[in-house]
Amino acid sequence: MNSDLRQRRKVARTALPTAVLLLISSAVAVQSSAPAAAAETTLRAAAANAGLFFGVAASPNRLYPIVGQEFSQLTPENDMKPDRIATSSGGLQNTSGADTLVNHAQSNNMLVRGHTLVWHSQAGALQGASQATLNTFIGNAINRWGSRIAYWDVVNEALEDNNTGRRRNQWPHSMNRDANGDGDFFDAGDTDVIRDSFIRAKQVVQAGGLTTKLCINDYDVDGLTVQGGTPNRKANALYDIVRNYRQYIDCVGFQAHFNDNPNSIITDDIQANIQRFADLGVEVHITELDIDDDLSNNDIGAGQAENYRKVVRACLNVAQCTGITVWGISDSESWRSSERGLLFTGGNGSYQKKAAYHAVLDELNKGRNSTPPPSTPPVTPSVPPTTPPVDPTTPPPPTTPPTTGCSATVSLNSWTGGFVATVRVTAGTAPISGWSVQLTLPSGATVTNAWNANRSGSSGTVQFSNVSYNGSVNAGQSTEFGFQGTGTATGLTPVCTAT
Ligand code: G3I
């Protein structure tokens, strides 16, 4: 954990009165004992209903049944890092652990996040390599697994600690040059490892016709602000990078290694930060979620559960937040074992669910765009509401015929020359197990990318269909997908068909 996180935890622990903590604890107890009706019973199923994946970081020796049961996405915790698989010339070696993980994910219908290609840490034989060698490695790694990797962390942890908003100054970022001295590395004459690595990755993806999406991943970038309301300069710097290199970057990862400080996780703050990245047209993922359980509060995991709930809610409330990944299964097997940051206790395949697990499951089951849970239980009226007497002369109200199949609505976020469309697919009176949505774009409009859906066509009549994790939608429930395009896309009329 970085020093900033530790500092934040220290300040707020002393600031929060015990009464407030007790209130939060009792609210959590009420919520977790009253899950929503017809709720899903696994994280992956509940997440799928809400239109996102729920993943886990894993190692080949921890591929217990729970991995495929609870999770729909897998990130190799260490087995795809350069110190495992890269040779000094950018070739590949020792890929058996990574292969095992990719195969396991595939046979369990899980997405894979490749982690990671360009990183100052765990660089192994690549440490000190030139951009040309990095490019060789990028090509070899992406091509080895191709579209079996849904998302690659192309660049990891490029920004400095302590909220400076600057790039790191050690290798590989020491190769950067600010040619015109204007304080950034975005100009054509500048050298920027981030840009050059993404350009290379994009070339490889396009040349191979791959569906792999390319992500930038970092920590302490989760909220708009840091403790005390100070602007999160690190998040702002990441935003500038994505805005400048939007043509090469498809997705952003917020690692989300949090502590147990109730003040450090503010749903609205995280949600607004996710939203501004989403407005750039990229997918956002919570990629390495874990949250300390600070037992000094004697809240027996309730504070931690509440914090998990807040992070999940922030993601759920933004349609382009398409996945959450926890950084391991169980506390004892985590890189932060002493901080009890995960959703399960136990080990070696025998795991017990914590309060945090139930909070996450419950929040996922509420779906997207639910308001945050009340902090006090609802008051039961002492006098039951009276039923109005029925007038026998009044005809019964018209009944709406049940709609089977599905319907779709679209909302647009447009700017001069471009747009992002969010399409909500809602099942009728019966559950559906797959869907497709057809819509016709005005002349001159072109779809450039889509998330949470397969797409055929890019202009005129365009067809979208569900991906593996969002085809099943319960009666009356919804899932969302999105796409970005150039031109103008007003007046879209989506037609939904259950498949
Ligand atoms: O496999 C060796 C083992 O053979 C040896 O006996 C043992 C002795 O220390 O070390 C083992 O390797 C360790 C490896 O984890 C596998 O357990 C390394 O020492 C240890 O440094 C390594 O830690 C990993 C850490 O990244 C390294 O930076 C953690 O497992 C991993 O969870 C962590 O993941 C990072 C993400 O990649 C990026 N974001 C932060 C996150 C947490 O630090």
Side-chain angles (χ1 to χ4, degrees):
M1 181 172 39
N2 59 75
S3 56
D4 189 36
L5 285 183
R6 290 198 186 285
Q7 198 182 3
R8 282 196 240 166
R9 174 171 62 181
K10 206 170 160 191
V11 172
R13 265 186 201 158
T14 51
L16 260 192
T18 312
V20 175
L21 291 168
L22 284 173
L23 214 140
I24 291 168
S25 312
S26 63
V28 168
V30 169
Q31 288 148 18
S32 53
S33 63
E40 296 291 349
T41 55
T42 64
L43 300 171
R44 76 179 280 169
N49 274 354
L52 71 164
F53 63 77
F54 200 94
V56 67
S59 300
N61 60 342
R62 300 255 164 76
L63 293 176
Y64 301 110
I66 192 175
V67 171
Q69 289 159 1
E70 288 285 352
F71 303 101
S72 52
Q73 179 271 329
L74 186 153
T75 304
E77 184 173 357
N78 287 298
D79 286 85
M80 270 184 198
K81 292 175 176 173
D83 67 349
R84 286 289 166 89
I85 64 166
T87 68
S88 58
S89 56
L92 298 182
Q93 61 181 351
N94 303 328
T95 54
S96 62
D99 289 338
T100 299
L101 291 166
V102 173
N103 290 339
H104 188 84
Q106 199 166 15
S107 52
N108 284 278
N109 201 17
M110 303 168 80
L111 301 172
V112 179
R113 180 183 209 88
H115 178 78
T116 177
L117 296 171
V118 177
W119 189 21
H120 70 277
S121 179
Q122 290 188 277
L126 277 186
Q127 183 72 45
S130 66
Q131 183 71 53
T133 302
L134 284 177
N135 287 352
T136 302
F137 174 64
I138 289 168
N140 284 326
I142 292 179
N143 282 326
R144 171 155 188 105
W145 293 285
S147 296
R148 298 209 289 162
I149 297 210
Y151 303 99
W152 255 114
D153 285 332
V154 176
V155 176
N156 193 41
E157 300 177 3
L159 296 162
E160 242 177 23
D161 287 342
N162 302 319
N163 201 24
T164 65
R166 291 194 296 260
R167 308 282 183 88
R168 290 182 184 277
N169 59 14
Q170 70 260 57
W171 179 91
H173 309 287
S174 51
M175 293 194 275
N176 287 354
R177 294 287 171 263
D178 177 12
N180 64 5
D182 68 351
D184 66 45
F185 304 103
F186 296 134
D187 306 294
D190 293 348
T191 304
D192 188 352
V193 167
I194 296 176
R195 178 193 60 210
D196 294 346
S197 300
F198 271 97
I199 287 175
R200 169 62 177 154
K202 199 58 147 187
Q203 280 170 348
V204 176
V205 162
Q206 287 177 343
L210 306 178
T211 54
T212 309
K213 293 184 177 174
L214 305 174
C215 311
I216 187 163
N217 191 48
D218 218 318
Y219 59 81
D220 283 356
V221 294
D222 322 290
L224 284 179
T225 62
V226 295
Q227 188 234 330
T230 308
N232 189 341
R233 286 186 281 274
K234 190 165 175 177
N236 293 348
L238 184 66
Y239 181 80
D240 285 344
I241 290 166
V242 176
R243 191 161 48 89
N244 275 280
Y245 302 146
R246 173 63 194 94
Q247 58 195 305
Y248 317 116
I249 299 179
D250 306 310
C251 35
V252 174
F254 295 179
Q255 291 187 7
H257 293 295
F258 284 114
N259 54 52
D260 188 30
N261 167 359
N263 279 353
S264 74
I265 300 178
I266 302 166
T267 301
D268 288 350
D269 194 57
I270 298 172
Q271 182 180 325
N273 193 35
I274 294 174
Q275 185 66 59
R276 70 169 169 159
F277 281 91
D279 289 344
L280 293 175
V282 291
E283 284 181 53
V284 183
H285 306 130
I286 306 291
T287 52
E288 303 185 10
L289 181 59
D290 50 22
I291 307 178
D292 279 15
D293 184 9
D294 174 6
L295 297 182
S296 69
N297 292 333
N298 288 323
D299 62 7
I300 323 173
Q304 181 188 49
E306 182 65 8
N307 276 335
Y308 262 103
R309 194 184 278 279
K310 290 178 186 173
V311 177
V312 171
R313 174 49 49 205
C315 177
L316 283 169
N317 281 356
V318 182
Q320 295 90 339
C321 187
T322 52
I324 299 173
T325 306
V326 283
W327 203 242
I329 301 169
S330 153
D331 290 346
S332 67
E333 296 166 353
S334 160
W335 72 296
R336 299 171 82 182
S337 55
S338 63
E339 287 149 331
R340 302 162 297 275
L342 293 172
L343 302 180
F344 293 85
T345 57
N348 299 316
S350 173
Y351 301 114
Q352 296 83 47
K353 296 168 181 172
K354 295 168 56 180
Y357 172 94
H358 295 292
V360 169
L361 182 64
D362 185 44
E363 206 59 37
L364 289 171
N365 270 318
K366 291 176 189 167
R368 293 198 184 260
N369 297 117
S370 156
T371 48
S375 55
T376 48
V379 178
T380 311
S382 51
V383 181
T386 51
T387 313
V390 177
D391 175 353
T393 61
T394 310
T399 52
T400 316
T403 334
T404 52
C406 58
S407 58
T409 55
V410 62
S411 60
L412 273 184
N413 179 6
S414 302
W415 59 90
T416 309
F419 62 90
V420 166
T422 303
V423 183
R424 172 169 279 242
V425 173
T426 304
T429 50
I432 57 175
S433 55
W435 47 263
S436 77
V437 171
Q438 182 175 299
L439 43 79
T440 303
L441 295 168
S443 135
T446 305
V447 178
T448 52
N449 66 310
W451 49 93
N452 280 344
N454 296 312
R455 169 171 65 98
S456 75
S458 55
S459 59
T461 299
V462 184
Q463 192 92 27
F464 299 89
S465 58
N466 64 277
V467 285
S468 59
Y469 54 83
N470 64 4
S472 296
V473 185
N474 281 340
Q477 299 293 301
S478 300
T479 187
E480 287 186 343
F481 70 89
F483 59 95
Q484 184 179 12
T486 54
T488 309
T490 46
L492 295 179
T493 310
V495 177
C496 189
T497 310
T499 57

